[in-house]
Amino acid sequence: MKKLFVASLILSLSGAVYAAEPTAQQNKMKTCNADAAGKKGDERKAFMKECLSAKPAAEAPKMTQQDKMKKCNADASGKKGDERKGFMKECLSNK
């Protein structure tokens, strides 16, 4: 009986943690729903269909390490010693 209780407790807690974070689809639905404010009937239905089926905009390609090094190096011009070292460390660690 104890094992059954513990198992059900674990399952209910894991479900609560999972449900706490909205999925990408839920976020998209929330955004589309807010954008559809004021629309009714077939107009709203068509808008929601279009909005929910739209693909997200492509993200900008991430900088390569070499590109990041070039940019940070250019930004660090004029700095010397520990100031430059600290700046480069911070700049290169940013994602």
Side-chain angles (χ1 to χ4, degrees), residues 64-75:
T64 64
Q65 187 65 26
Q66 186 176 9
D67 291 338
K68 193 185 277 190
M69 185 66 161
K70 285 179 185 177
K71 182 182 179 323
C72 291
N73 199 29
D75 292 346

Side-chain angles (χ1 to χ4, degrees), residues 29-89:
M29 183 69 171
K30 185 177 179 181
T31 302
C32 291
N33 200 29
D35 292 346
K39 294 178 175 44
K40 296 186 185 270
D42 289 338
E43 180 187 12
R44 180 183 174 83
K45 192 175 182 181
F47 175 82
M48 290 297 285
K49 182 178 179 181
E50 180 69 28
C51 183
L52 292 172
S53 65
K55 302 285 184 211
E59 292 183 26
K62 299 204 180 213
M63 290 179 80
T64 64
Q65 187 65 26
Q66 186 176 9
D67 291 338
K68 193 185 277 190
M69 185 66 161
K70 285 179 185 177
K71 182 182 179 323
C72 291
N73 199 29
D75 292 346
S77 63
K79 294 178 173 58
K80 294 186 185 232
D82 288 341
E83 182 186 12
R84 180 182 174 82
K85 186 176 180 182
F87 175 82
M88 291 297 285
K89 182 178 180 181

Side-chain angles (χ1 to χ4, degrees), residues 3-35:
K3 288 182 182 180
L4 181 61
F5 175 72
V6 171
S8 65
L9 182 63
I10 290 172
L11 285 175
S12 66
L13 289 176
S14 66
V17 170
Y18 178 73
E21 300 224 10
T23 64
Q25 183 63 25
Q26 288 171 328
N27 287 335
K28 192 173 192 180
M29 183 69 171
K30 185 177 179 181
T31 302
C32 291
N33 200 29
D35 292 346

